[in-house]
Amino acid sequence: MTHIDYKRRQFLQYATLGTLAATLPGFALAKNQGFNKAPNSSFKADVEIALTAQTADVPILAGAHTHVFKYTGKLLKGPQSALKELPGYLGPILNFEQGQKVRIYFYNQLPEPCVTHWHGMHVPQVMDGHPMYAIYQGEQYVYEFEVKNPAGTNWYHSHTHELTATQVYQGLAGLITISDEAERKLDLPSGEFDLPLVIQDRSFTNGNQLRYMLNRHQRMRGFLGDTILVNGQENSTIPVKTRAYRLRILNGSNSRIYKLGWEDGTPMTAIGTDGGLLEKPETLPYIMLAPAERVELWVDFSGRKPGSDLMLQSLAYQGSAAHMGGDMGGGMRQGMGRMGRMDGASAQNEVISIAKFHITEQISDSPKLPTELVPMRRLTAQDISSPDKTVPIAIGMRHMTFQLNGRTFDMQDHTELEKIPVNSIQKIRIFHDNHGMGGGRRGDRGGMGMMMAMPHPIHLHGQQFQILSRKQNNLSGAYETVRDGFINNGWKDTVLVMPGEEIEIIKPFKDYTGLFLYHCHNLEHEDMGMMRNFFVS
Ligand code: C2O
Ligand code: CU
Ligand code: CU
């Protein structure tokens, strides 16, 4: 039995949206806003996939199967390589080519509404999986889009109103890879040397069922599980040969932030980030990976002894409320059976094992790390369409709820400052707004202060952005434990905003008009309303 609260009452809120929508003010503003329930004959798809969200029972732990939600896929048209099933609960990996036209017939067979978002992809509003396009059990939605993104690693997941956290938690997520010409020229490790690593934390009942019990404080912090799964499996051991690999890592967790590092202190070499390949490889001592962020690593196992192991870990760090909340748990149960199993589920100030790379075979040839990867046009202040205007994303809190720009999510709501001219390039400033904090009950203040000090992974739909600057307003020992783990070059769609941090980004809003979400990708925060619309017109 799962302990998930489905909040069915919320469904009513948009049960009538289809009919109401036409009369809502602002609705007529965005063109082509209807549900896309049937294929457009004018859209000539290169790849067609049937993707079904359904319940399933899959093996995750030893013993009883686990009841999950799962995307299952079927390739209807296109190259065989376009779809690769994974064991476990994750949806199939979708492998696309830049320039391909993709049609996905999405069927909802779950006993609750669902909608699917193509995270990182630059697609029109009606194809973007906005919660207003959720469909009910038995219904179909047709997603049609051209793959405009460059080579890289994206993902898809449910984005259902106030159900994103529970649906993703139960399994509704999958990886998307994109390849292109520029990437092929680089001859990066491919095939068996190109490995996906979706990292998620989960908790299980004694009967192996997913557990998701959140009291008010846990909800404020976000779900933290006590068991690490990689690609939907526990105790991941990955066999590798003595050569270079490309690792595509996605943090698919609801709220856990990882400080990725190699057990033996080997630095990490990144070749890609959310939006694709970097200009050139970047070497860091460790890499902070917040929910929804991706990083592609170049890992060279040459010179390592066959039979030896190298552990990918999440290293200890501070700077999250998890360890300030007074509800931190005991130590990990390392060495007591379950790798990656953590008691108490909240300690991010401990080392966590993620995946073990086991060197199986000595081979002699390995590709060399390219010194240059792909050209990238740096956006600068000169590119900003209206230089005197900065779009704010103020992270705040009121009534025990996180807010953005002083408001919580409301399906189609957008304010004046959330209006963006189409085909413009905007400077956006993301910061903690500490002013709205008064008014709470006296006894709440300590708790609120603690929660205000949380990190938030802020995600913007639509086109990828670049980071212009990062400023820490209260340098502390805690920040020192994470500060060398950020990749600030390259295209991003999610940026981790640490407590006290202020980040300026620059983002193009090209091609598509309509409502595009921006939100915290701590999924518990998102579901409590830490999400807003930009209205692009
Ligand atoms: Cu990955 Cu709006 O989300
Ligand atoms: Cu997204
Ligand atoms: Cu948040």
Side-chain angles (χ1 to χ4, degrees):
M1 230 197 78
T2 58
H3 300 261
I4 290 177
D5 166 17
Y6 294 110
K7 300 197 303 209
R8 283 174 197 282
R9 65 195 165 77
Q10 303 294 351
F11 302 173
L12 294 169
Q13 210 175 319
Y14 56 102
T16 49
L17 187 73
T19 44
L20 263 185
T23 61
L24 285 178
F27 190 84
L29 290 173
K31 264 193 239 135
N32 195 19
Q33 203 159 7
F35 283 60
N36 200 50
K37 294 210 170 184
N40 289 307
S41 53
S42 59
F43 185 88
K44 303 276 175 256
D46 305 301
V47 179
E48 284 190 336
I49 290 166
L51 194 69
T52 303
Q54 59 189 114
T55 58
D57 291 285
V58 300
I60 298 176
L61 308 178
H65 285 192
T66 306
H67 190 68
V68 297
F69 286 177
K70 184 179 165 74
Y71 284 113
T72 54
K74 198 170 164 231
L75 185 68
L76 305 175
K77 181 184 176 186
Q80 278 308 311
S81 58
L83 192 147
K84 185 170 177 263
E85 288 289 348
L86 288 178
Y89 61 68
L90 288 176
I93 301 182
L94 307 181
N95 299 304
F96 297 143
E97 286 275 327
Q98 190 180 42
Q100 264 174 348
K101 288 189 167 172
V102 177
R103 175 178 290 129
I104 296 166
Y105 294 91
F106 173 56
Y107 301 102
N108 180 7
Q109 288 182 5
L110 297 171
E112 53 188 69
C114 193
V115 61
T116 299
H117 168 56
W118 319 96
H119 181 123
M121 311 280 287
H122 179 41
V123 301
Q125 177 203 267
V126 276
M127 304 304 168
D128 193 44
H130 190 288
M132 70 179 148
Y133 297 118
I135 54 166
Y136 287 87
Q137 186 167 29
E139 291 184 322
Q140 165 185 284
Y141 197 100
V142 183
Y143 294 98
E144 295 167 322
F145 53 82
E146 183 185 330
V147 177
K148 293 197 171 190
N149 294 59
T153 306
N154 293 309
W155 63 306
Y156 60 99
H157 60 78
S158 82
H159 215 304
T160 316
H161 185 56
E162 294 182 340
L163 292 173
T164 299
T166 58
Q167 291 188 346
V168 172
Y169 183 72
Q170 290 179 92
L172 291 188
L175 212 61
I176 298 173
T177 75
I178 299 171
S179 54
D180 67 10
E181 240 353 278
E183 177 199 44
R184 273 188 290 275
K185 280 198 203 122
L186 292 171
D187 231 344
L188 297 172
S190 62
E192 62 167 311
F193 308 116
D194 177 349
L195 301 175
L197 238 69
V198 180
I199 307 173
Q200 297 172 306
D201 59 336
R202 296 291 184 266
S203 289
F204 293 91
T205 64
N206 290 333
N208 285 358
Q209 299 311 306
L210 288 167
R211 201 153 55 93
Y212 184 82
M213 271 189 303
L214 292 179
N215 61 32
R216 196 176 74 152
H217 255 90
Q218 290 165 341
R219 201 173 285 280
M220 290 305 290
R221 182 196 58 196
F223 174 86
L224 294 172
D226 62 12
T227 304
I228 299 290
L229 302 181
V230 170
N231 298 337
Q233 320 253 263
E234 193 197 24
N235 285 332
S236 270
T237 298
I238 300 165
V240 292
K241 299 172 180 167
T242 56
R243 60 159 279 153
Y245 282 72
R246 174 182 189 176
L247 299 188
R248 302 171 185 263
I249 307 182
L250 160 69
N251 181 354
S253 308
N254 281 28
S255 89
R256 188 177 288 280
I257 298 163
Y258 301 91
K259 177 179 177 179
L260 299 176
W262 295 112
E263 176 189 27
D264 66 352
T266 303
M268 308 211 111
T269 301
I271 55 171
T273 178
D274 304 344
L277 294 168
L278 293 165
E279 235 175 348
K280 45 175 169 297
E282 214 171 294
T283 299
L284 299 88
Y286 55 84
I287 292 171
M288 298 304 298
L289 201 70
E293 283 189 303
R294 286 86 72 204
V295 66
E296 295 199 20
L297 298 183
W298 175 281
V299 193
D300 198 344
F301 298 102
S302 323
R304 293 192 182 261
K305 268 231 220 53
S308 67
D309 295 323
L310 182 63
M311 187 70 85
L312 177 65
Q313 298 177 320
S314 181
L315 307 172
Y317 70 90
Q318 299 168 330
S320 98
H323 68 284
M324 296 185 255
D327 61 344
M328 52 181 282
M332 292 179 51
R333 282 209 213 128
Q334 286 265 37
M336 287 186 60
R338 282 197 172 154
M339 177 183 82
R341 178 123 194 176
M342 297 145 281
D343 280 348
S346 63
Q348 304 215 34
N349 52 348
E350 288 188 71
V351 177
I352 302 169
S353 297
I354 294 174
K356 186 198 278 176
F357 291 85
H358 181 66
I359 321 298
T360 55
E361 199 184 318
Q362 178 94 43
I363 52 171
S364 49
D365 58 323
S366 175
K368 288 271 159 306
L369 176 64
T371 50
E372 309 277 327
L373 296 164
V374 297
M376 176 178 159
R377 186 165 105 71
R378 288 304 163 105
L379 300 177
T380 67
Q382 269 89 55
D383 296 299
I384 300 165
S385 304
S386 36
D388 48 332
K389 188 184 151 218
T390 300
V391 179
I393 296 183
I395 298 168
M397 179 189 213
R398 265 183 84 191
H399 308 306
M400 288 304 277
T401 301
F402 290 109
Q403 301 183 322
L404 293 173
N405 289 326
R407 292 175 172 242
T408 50
F409 183 64
D410 189 352
M411 198 57 84
Q412 310 218 2
D413 186 46
H414 51 87
T415 61
E416 207 47 45
L417 59 83
E418 290 166 326
K419 285 186 182 161
I420 311 270
V422 68
N423 293 324
S424 68
I425 295 180
Q426 302 289 329
K427 181 161 99 175
I428 301 174
R429 181 169 151 259
I430 312 171
F431 60 100
H432 297 269
D433 176 11
N434 295 318
H435 299 296
M437 284 190 59
R441 276 173 296 122
R442 205 170 263 270
D444 261 9
R445 287 233 176 104
M448 285 171 73
M450 180 272 289
M451 284 306 176
M452 283 304 290
M454 278 201 69
H456 299 277
I458 301 296
H459 167 55
L460 286 78
H461 284 219
Q463 270 177 297
Q464 301 277 330
F465 55 79
Q466 293 178 13
I467 295 171
L468 283 176
S469 70
R470 236 177 221 280
K471 190 164 108 211
Q472 176 53 262
N473 292 317
N474 44 34
L475 277 172
S476 65
Y479 191 67
E480 291 301 318
T481 66
V482 302
R483 70 176 304 157
D484 296 326
F486 300 112
I487 299 172
N488 296 315
N489 300 308
W491 294 100
K492 297 281 293 168
D493 59 50
T494 306
V495 63
L496 178 58
V497 186
M498 292 301 292
E501 219 171 22
E502 185 179 316
I503 297 178
E504 283 188 333
I505 62 172
I506 184 163
K507 178 176 164 28
F509 290 83
K510 284 217 190 103
D511 308 329
Y512 306 127
T513 57
L515 296 171
F516 290 90
L517 298 163
Y518 66 100
H519 59 90
C520 181
H521 221 291
N522 175 318
L523 296 182
E524 282 70 33
H525 292 181
E526 173 182 336
D527 277 355
M528 72 173 61
M530 196 177 182
M531 175 157 74
R532 294 290 303 165
N533 290 300
F534 280 130
F535 180 64
V536 183
S537 65

